[in-house]
Structures are given as C-alpha cells and as structure tokens.
Amino acid sequence: MIRRLTMTAAMTAAVLSGSLLPTTAEAGAPTAASAHAPAAAPCTSKWRAVQRVAVRHPGPYDGRVVTMNSPVHHYLKRGEVVRSCIVAIARTQSGPAYRACGKDGNLWRVVSGGQVPQTCLKRA
C-alpha cells in the first residue's frame, strides 16, 4: 500500500509538472488559429410560391410560430422566389395546424418578413 501511494504521488507530481500531459499536436486538439467555428454558409435554399400566399408574423399571443389568425405582413405573388433555410413546426393536439393551398400541414417556412405555410411553397 505504501508503494501505491508513492507511485500515485510521483505520477501526480509528473502530471502537475506537465511531463505526462500531451501537447496539443499530440492530443489532436485544434490549434489556437482554428479555435473558432467556421462561418456558416449563407442560405441558398430557394422556394417558389405556388399561388398567392400571405406571409404572417407572430402576434403578441402566438409565441414563435404563427397561426392562420396571425397578422399578415405582406403577400407573396404566384411564382415569386424566396429563400428559406429554417422551418418552424406548429404542434397541435388534434390534427394539422393549418389547411392552406389545398393541403393540410404543420410546417411553416421562415422567410423575410415572417412565415409561410410550406404547402404553399415548392422547391425552386
């Protein structure tokens, strides 16, 4: 038992002195120059409106995801192309969150000015 304590004390002293710690190159850790995450790529996902559709923004009681009763910010014309890389999911206890453009759904695409039902957009 005395030997174990002596060995543990010796190893602790070596670790504290830095002789047993691997260097950053040995450990595979990133160097100081690459410590920051790379910049995010700009949004390149384009969507085309299949018909005239309202772009809604959350009202005071809606939270982060809009509803069909949320205020309208502006309208997208049929064929208008918008960029959207973010989806908001509307959770409901019974059935879909909306019926728009002839389909039921619960996904809202976040576009400039608000959110649009995904059923009203098509990949461009």
Side-chain angles (χ1 to χ4, degrees):
M1 181 138 185
I2 295 175
R3 287 185 183 171
R4 275 192 187 160
L5 291 175
T6 307
M7 186 181 293
T8 304
M11 289 182 71
T12 304
V15 168
L16 291 176
S17 69
S19 62
L20 291 181
L21 293 175
T23 62
T24 56
E26 293 173 359
T31 61
S34 65
H36 299 288
C43 179
T44 58
S45 178
K46 294 183 181 179
W47 297 82
R48 183 180 314 275
V50 295
Q51 67 183 43
R52 184 174 185 257
V53 61
V55 177
R56 300 178 181 274
H57 59 90
Y61 305 107
D62 291 336
R64 294 182 181 176
V65 181
V66 299
T67 64
M68 291 304 284
N69 297 327
S70 296
V72 175
H73 183 266
H74 67 278
Y75 289 90
L76 294 179
K77 297 175 188 168
R78 181 176 175 234
E80 188 173 346
V81 176
V82 291
R83 291 178 190 245
S84 174
C85 291
I86 302 173
V87 177
I89 302 172
R91 303 275 185 204
T92 61
Q93 291 182 2
S94 60
Y98 61 81
R99 178 161 181 82
C101 302
K103 299 175 187 172
D104 294 334
N106 61 354
L107 299 177
W108 294 84
R109 299 295 312 186
V110 178
V111 299
S112 178
Q115 301 171 17
V116 177
Q118 184 166 327
T119 57
C120 296
L121 299 174
K122 184 175 154 181
R123 247 336 160 145

